[in-house]
Amino acid sequence: YRNRWENGLKKKEIMKSFIFSLILMGMTISVFAQAETYDTPEKSDPKAKAILESLKDKYEQFKSIQADFTLTIEIPEEDRIVQKGKMWQSGDKYRLELEDQSIITDGETLWYYQKNNNEVQVNSAEDMQSGEDILTPTDILKMYESGEYIYVLVDEYSAEKTIVQQIEFKPTTRDNKNHSKLRLTVDKKANTIKEMKAFQKDGTRYTLRMDEFETDKAIDESQFTFNKADYPDIYVEDMRF
């Protein structure tokens, strides 16, 4: 079991770098946009802040979110990995389903289930709520309030019969950050997130594109729990103290 767990963990860390770290930054650097210099969170682009506040206000009004997404992982000198996934969220509860893993929390406990190895890692949800643990659209939109990132509106253009805005985030320090930059793509007319892209320091890139998006639909509470009795011979790694 030990070898199987370690092999599964290596693959899980690749996915977690985007889905469980979902992003963020790596180097202390000034951001330049529109002939302005933004070098502290307090001096971040006010246009970007207005967009993020509008998005956050909208997403926080939703009682629930259900989405289909495409995750693309580009690792230097390796074939591109493309996976389809689904997400359910209600308050601080959520479920992410990918081809080879599930990430589930009821707000108190968080489970990582590795489908190929029939293994689950159990964590305290509270322990995973650091600035690196970005998982859902509403979590990402709280990022700009943390004071740890500089953000700037870097582009606005027409595409797919709408106006697209792109906001880039960079960290104020490199401490404990695996990422050099995050790019958030927004549909200006719909005031929704279209895409999130993370640039890691090792050259790996993760792109999460929202394909379908529904809100305020009833979600069965069983979606937010993991019952190990449903998985015969499952290996459980409990990381809680």
Side-chain angles (χ1 to χ4, degrees), residues 140-154:
I140 292 166
L141 293 172
K142 295 175 184 177
M143 178 175 67
Y144 78 97
E145 297 178 314
S146 69
E148 298 180 358
Y149 306 99
I150 301 166
Y151 46 90
V152 174
L153 176 63
V154 295

Side-chain angles (χ1 to χ4, degrees), residues 89-118:
Q89 181 184 11
S90 179
D92 59 357
K93 304 173 184 179
Y94 55 80
R95 184 186 191 105
L96 293 169
E97 287 287 344
L98 286 159
E99 294 174 10
D100 60 354
Q101 69 175 298
S102 305
I103 303 175
I104 306 164
T105 182
D106 60 4
E108 296 183 1
T109 303
L110 190 147
W111 297 269
Y112 293 109
Y113 176 56
Q114 298 297 305
K115 299 178 182 179
N116 293 338
N117 294 329
N118 195 30

Side-chain angles (χ1 to χ4, degrees), residues 28-31 36-44 150 152 171-172:
T28 301
I29 188 168
S30 294
V31 182
E36 297 286 348
T37 300
Y38 304 99
D39 53 10
T40 66
E42 295 77 15
K43 294 181 181 179
S44 289
I150 301 166
V152 174
T172 55

